Structure formats: C-alpha cells, structure tokens
Amino acid sequence: MHDALFADLAAWTDAVLSAPLPEGVAAFHFNLYDSSTTYDIELIGAPTYDAEDPDWACDDIFMSPHPRFEVESEAVGPGWEAGLQSIAQMVLRYLNSAHPGALRLKASRAVSLGFVDGDLQLVWSAN
C-alpha cells in the first residue's frame, strides 16, 4: 500500500517530531487540507483531549512547520473519502511502527486526523 508515499510521510513525521515540543501536549491531530490536486497534512499538538468534545484539537500549542506534507490526490484514490481513508491507514501504519515519532505520538493520550472543516477521526487512543 503506497510504500514510497508511506516512507515519505514517516520521514516527514519523524522530522517534525524530532524537534523539542512545548510542555503540555496531551494529544495530536493530523489536519488535512483538500486542494484541487493534493491533500496537505499538518500535525498539531493540543493541550487537552476530550473524546466527548469534537473541538478538542482546535486549541493547538504546537504546529508542524511549513511546508505541509503533500499527498497527490491521484495517489490515494478519487474523492475526499478515499483520500481520508488512505491517509488514515498510513497514519495507523506509522503508529504501529517503531519509528521514533510514532513512539512520541503514542506517549500522548490520543491521535486523530480529519479535514480542517470536518469531523475528527480517532486513529489511536491510550485508553
């Protein structure tokens, strides 16, 4: 499944998470942006996590530096649903790996992803 794309996403995420993080990051969220030809990914860290609050990721204290990670729309299938599902599978694969960034993500309470104007999809939780 998209091995080269996964390797690039893993390298980008590892690089983002290799920098010092602010104290108090409780959970992480992968923001997805939909353009005409790409899905752009940004990683944020939030000071709180509440499974009952769909807006918990709106209060970020950490944001990945630019540039965002770009995924060609053609590489993940037609339509935003296919893009969301494919990117979610890559993030879950990353979380199940031994990458240093994955270990850092799993030291938090939760990891989710979703389009900035849509619902959050929980990918991993410490509970």
Side-chain angles (χ1 to χ4, degrees):
M1 173 205 12
H2 311 298
D3 287 333
L5 182 56
F6 171 77
D8 290 345
L9 176 63
W12 177 83
T13 307
D14 281 343
V16 166
L17 292 171
S18 69
L21 296 175
E23 286 192 35
V25 173
F28 291 93
H29 177 74
F30 288 86
N31 277 327
L32 305 180
Y33 296 85
D34 188 5
S35 77
S36 61
T37 59
T38 63
Y39 297 106
D40 300 336
I41 302 172
E42 165 185 78
L43 179 61
I44 66 101
T48 60
Y49 169 70
D50 181 352
E52 303 301 317
D53 179 6
D55 293 327
W56 68 263
C58 291
D59 245 354
D60 60 79
I61 58 173
F62 166 77
M63 184 179 299
S64 57
H66 287 291
R68 296 177 181 145
F69 184 78
E70 290 186 1
V71 176
E72 295 292 326
S73 301
E74 294 174 352
V76 292
W80 67 267
E81 294 97 342
L84 178 63
Q85 180 180 8
S86 185
I87 294 167
Q89 289 172 349
M90 285 190 288
V91 169
L92 185 58
R93 179 178 171 191
Y94 178 78
L95 287 166
N96 288 326
S97 75
H99 283 272
L103 301 176
R104 207 157 189 197
L105 290 174
K106 291 195 303 189
S108 73
R109 294 183 56 206
V111 178
S112 67
L113 73 111
F115 289 101
V116 292
D117 57 353
D119 296 331
L120 305 183
Q121 177 179 328
L122 186 64
V123 179
W124 178 88
S125 173
N127 297 338

